[in-house]
Amino acid sequence: FMENILLLLKSNMEVYVHGPLEASNKLVHEVLHYGLEETLKMQHNLYNKMTECGWYQVKNVDVKTIKDTLKKVKKRQARK
């Protein structure tokens, strides 16, 4: 159940991230910006609760894996 809520919050982020950037009306910008802040808070709180309960496992990644992943991403971007 909580995973579904987390996914829903993450998907809503698209509107709240792009909306304020593209809003031509100041009030619309402010409302969407507020929505972004509130959604970030909810997502953070839910993530922390799921982690506390052991429902969201955090996996530590070594530096080599991070560097390898960055190389892959840069190669893909260079192809575009």
Side-chain angles (χ1 to χ4, degrees):
F1 174 74
M2 291 179 100
E3 287 176 354
N4 289 339
I5 294 172
L6 187 60
L7 288 172
L8 182 61
L9 289 171
K10 287 181 178 184
S11 68
N12 284 344
M13 293 302 292
E14 283 291 316
V15 172
Y16 293 127
V17 167
H18 296 290
L21 296 172
E22 298 177 13
S24 59
N25 177 290
K26 184 177 179 177
L27 181 58
V28 172
H29 172 83
E30 290 172 359
V31 168
L32 291 172
H33 189 266
Y34 176 78
L36 173 62
E37 290 176 346
E38 290 301 305
T39 302
L40 284 170
K41 288 178 194 174
M42 286 187 276
Q43 185 176 344
H44 179 73
N45 293 336
L46 183 60
Y47 169 81
N48 286 338
K49 188 52 134 178
M50 290 175 70
T51 302
E52 276 178 33
C53 294
W55 299 334
Y56 197 94
Q57 300 295 318
V58 178
K59 186 170 100 174
N60 290 327
V61 179
D62 61 273
V63 175
K64 183 183 179 320
T65 303
I66 293 171
K67 287 181 180 180
D68 291 346
T69 302
L70 286 172
K71 284 180 188 177
K72 288 178 186 177
V73 169
K74 287 179 182 178
K75 283 181 183 177
R76 286 183 190 158
Q77 288 176 343
R79 289 185 211 153
K80 292 181 180 181

